[in-house]
Amino acid sequence: MSVMVRLDKCQAIYGGNITSVQSAGDLENGSFVNLGGLISGQTDVYETATPSSTNFDVEEVLLVYTPEVNYEPGKTLKDFTNLADQPSRAYHLSVGDVITITDDGLTGTTVVSEYVIPATGSFNLVAASSLGTTTRMGGKVIEKGYFGYSGSGYSKTACTTFRVVKA
Amino acid sequence: MDAIVQMALKLFEGTRNPDALKFSYDESNQIFTDKLIKDSVEYAGLPYTAGMKMDYSLYTHPLVQHKLFNLIGAAIDAILPKLLTNQFDSFIDVRNMAWGDKLSIEVTSSDIFAVTKVSQGNVNVRRQKLDRRAINLTPIMREVRVYEDLYRLLAGRMAWGDYAQKVALSFVNAIQTDVYTALYDSYDGTESTYFATGSFSSTTFTTMAEHVKAANGGVPVVAWGTKLALAKVNAHTGYTAYPGLNSQNMLDEYNTMGFYGKFQGTTLLQIDQAHVANTDTFAISDSFIIVTPMGVDKPVKLGFEGNTIITENSLNKNADQSLEYTMQKMWDTQILTAGRYGIYRVS
């Protein structure tokens, strides 16, 4: 099963601050990536780079979220993964954006009123009790709920909704 | 009424009662969708062919979009009050006001005057008067906004019309929850005559029913609750205890409906249970029984301010090619009635 994303509120939807990114491996929706260099021969597609504590404070983190369309019939939101070496849509974040991600796309257990921050060597945000001072990006968890279905389609998937407080 | 609106109404009734539909629900839904497309395409002066699908060029045609959007909006405005009155009809008094208007509701007191004995040749007795009761409704704007990516729409991975219908249903659910909450919390623990808690007692129940009847000038009273709540209105435990008092007819009734049709002369009526949005939690407490007089002023005043506002963003307005559909409605619910009603929270 793949990670599911719901973009509750996001400046980039209207402001248009959206970038195409491409990764050497499959990329889940709900990945938080740094931007690498331009893909050779393209003007608007960037390599993804993995967040690292060495540059947490400077590198911008973008949310990967491509429309979930599978070519096979009978596939739903949970079945979608961005394919390697193909452009995926990535949103630049702004303070005040509200994002919902199923919990399988987050490391650790999120707690309402606590935080999610980037983690070294991972595209997944990690649950943290405090925001800390070292990361440029951070989100505050505002709600825990359910979004979409998992498994055979009957059990709901736990999700976390957070508001971007640093971007 | 527009034919398409009538179809939408039938379809909505079909979600509750599929037997009422001429075709299966899915078939009916398809007929409705086809009709939506046909009307919109013909409105725009384009040739319609059977089985036509909404493709990008149709969606972006301003006339098609305009008509489609208006048809869905009209259908929702027709369906909403209909659905609303199904469930809580006996409790809700619906008022509509214009934008910016304040709705004040006044009802007469349920008190009457005291009559005294007096000597002959004397009209000099104490004068009496009654107050009226009044409330002001202060509506609050409620809103739902949904979105979907254009690519998913074009690829047929979701049906946009479904979302519009769901949004309308969500509003019905929210209004019903408000009505129920207003009723549930309307008495606090200090009210002893018309409010009772605890395990079921037939004496408490019938005493309350008699009080409600007496306070409303002797009109018949009925008791409402969910199936599980009404099941508790039973002087005995289960089916077989005190067989002398449970006739075969009562046992059959209890088994068929889940509760007695009448209890000690008071008719029992079922409120359909619902879920709190996106949960498996019941919206209505299974310990809640309300005893109301029939045909007297309804206790819940529901006021809508202005019309339903429905907005749909035009294609390609959003930078990420997502479509958004927003519905806004303003309402408030308050409890005010000239009559009295009773609430029994049966544990």
Side-chain angles (χ1 to χ4, degrees), chain B residues 71-92:
Chain B
L71 285 175
I72 292 176
I76 285 172
D77 268 352
I79 289 157
L80 207 60
K82 178 94 180 166
L83 280 182
L84 206 57
T85 47
N86 273 348
Q87 174 75 299
F88 282 110
D89 193 27
S90 313
F91 312 116
I92 314 181

Side-chain angles (χ1 to χ4, degrees), chain B residues 115-126:
Chain B
V115 177
T116 181
K117 288 180 180 173
V118 70
S119 61
Q120 281 293 348
N122 179 4
V123 292
N124 194 17
V125 295
R126 287 158 55 200

Side-chain angles (χ1 to χ4, degrees), chain B residues 3 27 30 37 56 101 107 112 149 154 157 169 234 243 256 277 288 297 323 345:
Chain B
E27 282 168 336
Q30 189 58 49
I37 296 172
Y56 184 74
D101 282 3
V107 295
I112 52 175
D149 280 296
L154 292 176
R157 297 303 192 265
L169 283 176
N234 182 356
T256 313
F288 177 73
D297 192 33
L323 272 91
R345 291 191 199 162

Side-chain angles (χ1 to χ4, degrees), chain B residues 47-68:
Chain B
Y48 174 80
T49 49
M52 205 166 181
K53 294 269 178 282
M54 269 288 167
D55 61 13
Y56 184 74
S57 58
L58 277 182
Y59 262 121
T60 46
H61 193 298
L63 288 177
V64 173
Q65 212 184 19
H66 171 80
K67 186 69 180 174
L68 184 71

Side-chain angles (χ1 to χ4, degrees), chain B residues 5 33 101 110 127 249 256 259 301 315 325:
Chain B
V5 175
T33 312
D101 282 3
S110 57
R127 303 191 300 174
N249 192 16
T256 313
F259 53 89
K301 309 296 181 211
L315 274 176
Y325 178 93

Side-chain angles (χ1 to χ4, degrees), chain B residues 10-241:
Chain B
K10 279 241 162 62
L11 196 59
F12 268 103
E13 280 160 10
T15 57
R16 298 174 77 89
N17 180 18
D19 295 341
L21 291 172
K22 202 169 170 185
F23 306 101
S24 79
Y25 181 76
D26 282 350
E27 282 168 336
S28 306
N29 199 10
Q30 189 58 49
I31 295 168
F32 174 66
T33 312
D34 287 347
K35 172 81 172 153
L36 265 183
I37 296 172
K38 182 170 186 280
D39 281 9
S40 310
V41 168
E42 285 176 351
Y43 177 78
L46 300 173
Y48 174 80
T49 49
M52 205 166 181
K53 294 269 178 282
M54 269 288 167
D55 61 13
Y56 184 74
S57 58
L58 277 182
Y59 262 121
T60 46
H61 193 298
L63 288 177
V64 173
Q65 212 184 19
H66 171 80
K67 186 69 180 174
L68 184 71
F69 170 66
N70 275 316
L71 285 175
I72 292 176
I76 285 172
D77 268 352
I79 289 157
L80 207 60
K82 178 94 180 166
L83 280 182
L84 206 57
T85 47
N86 273 348
Q87 174 75 299
F88 282 110
D89 193 27
S90 313
F91 312 116
I92 314 181
D93 188 359
V94 182
R95 311 284 180 98
N96 288 294
M97 26 183 176
W99 292 110
D101 282 3
K102 182 165 194 155
L103 182 64
S104 298
I105 298 174
E106 283 187 23
V107 295
T108 55
S109 167
S110 57
D111 293 343
I112 52 175
F113 299 112
V115 177
T116 181
K117 288 180 180 173
V118 70
S119 61
Q120 281 293 348
N122 179 4
V123 292
N124 194 17
V125 295
R126 287 158 55 200
R127 303 191 300 174
Q128 302 175 51
K129 65 186 285 188
L130 295 175
D131 195 7
R132 289 168 74 85
R133 304 174 63 213
I135 49 157
N136 293 314
L137 290 178
T138 45
I140 297 172
M141 187 66 95
R142 326 288 168 114
E143 180 168 340
V144 167
R145 181 174 233 193
V146 298
Y147 81 98
E148 192 54 87
D149 280 296
L150 175 65
Y151 184 31
R152 279 174 54 78
L153 193 76
L154 292 176
R157 297 303 192 265
M158 57 82 56
W160 195 230
D162 271 7
Y163 271 22
Q165 294 179 3
K166 283 259 183 202
V167 167
L169 283 176
S170 308
F171 268 91
V172 172
N173 188 300
I175 293 168
Q176 285 179 349
T177 308
D178 265 16
V179 168
Y180 161 71
T181 309
L183 275 176
Y184 189 83
D185 294 331
S186 57
Y187 285 138
D188 60 18
T190 57
E191 172 64 62
S192 59
T193 309
Y194 298 98
F195 179 71
T197 56
S199 55
F200 182 76
S201 143
S202 57
T203 312
T204 310
F205 178 80
T206 304
T207 306
M208 184 189 286
E210 284 291 278
H211 274 303
V212 172
K213 184 171 181 171
N216 291 293
V219 300
V221 296
V222 289
W224 303 79
T226 64
K227 185 179 275 186
L228 284 167
L230 291 180
K232 294 174 187 166
V233 181
N234 182 356
H236 322 305
T237 312
Y239 293 81
T240 52

